[in-house]
Amino acid sequence: MAEKPSEEPRPESAAPPDDAWEQFLRDSEAGVPASAPKEPSARARMVTERLRALDEAQAAAAGRKGRRFGRSRPVAPARPEGWRTGPAWREMDGRASRRRTVWSVVGVLTAAALAVVAVNPSAALSWLPGGLGGGGADASGASASGVDASGVEASPLAPETARPTGAPGEAEGIPTRARPFTGSPAARWEAGADAIRLPRAKAVNGVPAARIEEALRGTKEFLAAANLDPAVLKGGEPVKALALVDPLEADYLADLRAAVRRPTEDNDPVSAFTRFDPEKVDLVGDVRVRGRMTVAPDTAAEGRALITADYTFVYGVARVGGDETTRVIVRRVLQVDAADPSRYQGTEGRLWIRDLASEIGNDDCREGDGLINPSFFSDLLSASPQVGETRDPYDRSTSVSREDECGVVSRT
């Protein structure tokens, strides 16, 4: 994880310290004028002053708790009476939860800005409103972000087959509308639904291979409909995704539909569906995807299997009418039940969702508006930095947080 920005006051830089001048005078007498302290340029002072303002805002926000998104809520009620032809599902399943953990970007970007100013002042200037650095094009090593010197993206990473052992390495570069994934590990991730690969279907724990395959395909369709459908991404109703949920999960299905139509703090549709406000942000580029899907026997009973789909979706977003570009990182862990149809009754072609947990990186933690609201670099100039636990949204080596809270991302 990235370290939090220092809360110590930044030293004034407009004038050199007294001891530096004394050294200069001594050197001048000895005929060594090269050590004269140099006054910062006007441009450097402007960057310093702006970053100092960000640091002061960070210090003012220190000690405040991060906002909570809400409480854990049941996702999949016990199977209704008459649903089963075998052992009672209710006796074997606890009440699963659908959770969303939100990670704000405001705050950690200050540390990133300081680092960029030290290494590449021109890049930092290009991020500031008004484009003080000029251009706004990629100013640092794009090759570390999956793009070679000629601007051609490197080949995608091999598919993920097991949980990674750590977070992906850092990448250099600034996202633009033309290259929204520059500076992100997602630059080498595959794009779209093709990145959601299905494991080979075989009989598991008494569940026939055909039933496993049907559930695997349905799980992929749900993920794509909830997180890749252009209409849904622009704030539309997730009609295809809702149609895949087993109507026997009546309470859960009604809960999802109510969330879409009347979002509230306790029932926000972005817990399950990725949605943005098209009047505020443009989606740029494709959607990068990385993850894996597994099948395991349900140890609670014969004739049941559990499909777990763990995927991270990365979206390039830009301000409507502007060039400023950033990313939103959404991780979904979806668990779907597959049951032997000779023992358990269910609706043909529909999914029984046992659990759905989410983490959203770069959301301003607004509660209950039904949309993901990304923060851009220039937002730091007026917003109070968010505080809380810091997470790397690209780190897939850890489990999804099971707390409903708002924290801070170390990068986008």
Side-chain angles (χ1 to χ4, degrees), residues 197-368:
R197 289 181 168 80
L198 305 183
R200 184 172 66 87
K202 59 182 180 180
V204 176
N205 198 31
V207 184
R211 178 69 187 97
I212 295 292
E213 183 175 6
E214 179 186 5
L216 287 170
R217 293 185 181 280
T219 300
K220 176 176 179 175
E221 290 176 15
F222 182 88
L223 287 171
N227 301 284
L228 299 174
D229 186 324
V232 177
L233 296 180
K234 294 179 180 179
E237 184 174 356
V239 178
K240 296 177 182 177
L242 291 170
L244 288 167
V245 180
D246 195 319
L248 292 175
E249 287 193 279
D251 291 342
Y252 177 47
L253 194 52
D255 195 39
L256 288 177
R257 287 173 173 156
V260 172
R261 294 167 186 170
R262 295 177 299 279
T264 67
E265 177 180 338
D266 289 337
N267 193 19
D268 195 318
V270 296
S271 296
F273 312 115
T274 304
R275 307 167 80 226
F276 299 92
D277 186 345
E279 296 185 359
K280 295 181 179 179
V281 298
D282 291 330
L283 289 162
V284 292
D286 46 25
V287 181
R288 298 300 170 92
V289 184
R290 188 157 182 82
R292 64 192 182 280
M293 198 180 303
T294 59
V295 184
D298 187 331
T299 57
E302 182 72 17
R304 296 212 319 253
L306 180 64
I307 294 172
T308 300
D310 181 347
Y311 284 88
T312 299
F313 302 86
V314 183
Y315 306 86
V317 293
R319 288 191 189 277
V320 168
D323 292 327
E324 194 172 8
T325 306
T326 187
R327 289 176 289 265
V328 170
I329 304 95
V330 178
R331 185 178 176 186
R332 310 278 192 196
V333 179
L334 173 66
Q335 292 185 328
V336 171
D337 286 324
D340 178 2
S342 68
R343 300 187 185 194
Y344 300 92
Q345 182 182 359
T347 305
E348 187 71 23
R350 305 295 180 89
L351 297 178
W352 188 279
I353 298 177
R354 181 186 294 195
D355 189 73
L356 177 54
S358 303
E359 287 183 351
I360 302 176
N362 192 9
D363 186 347
D364 71 357
C365 299
R366 191 175 305 169
E367 299 172 346

Side-chain angles (χ1 to χ4, degrees), residues 257 369 397:
R257 287 173 173 156
D369 67 349
S397 67

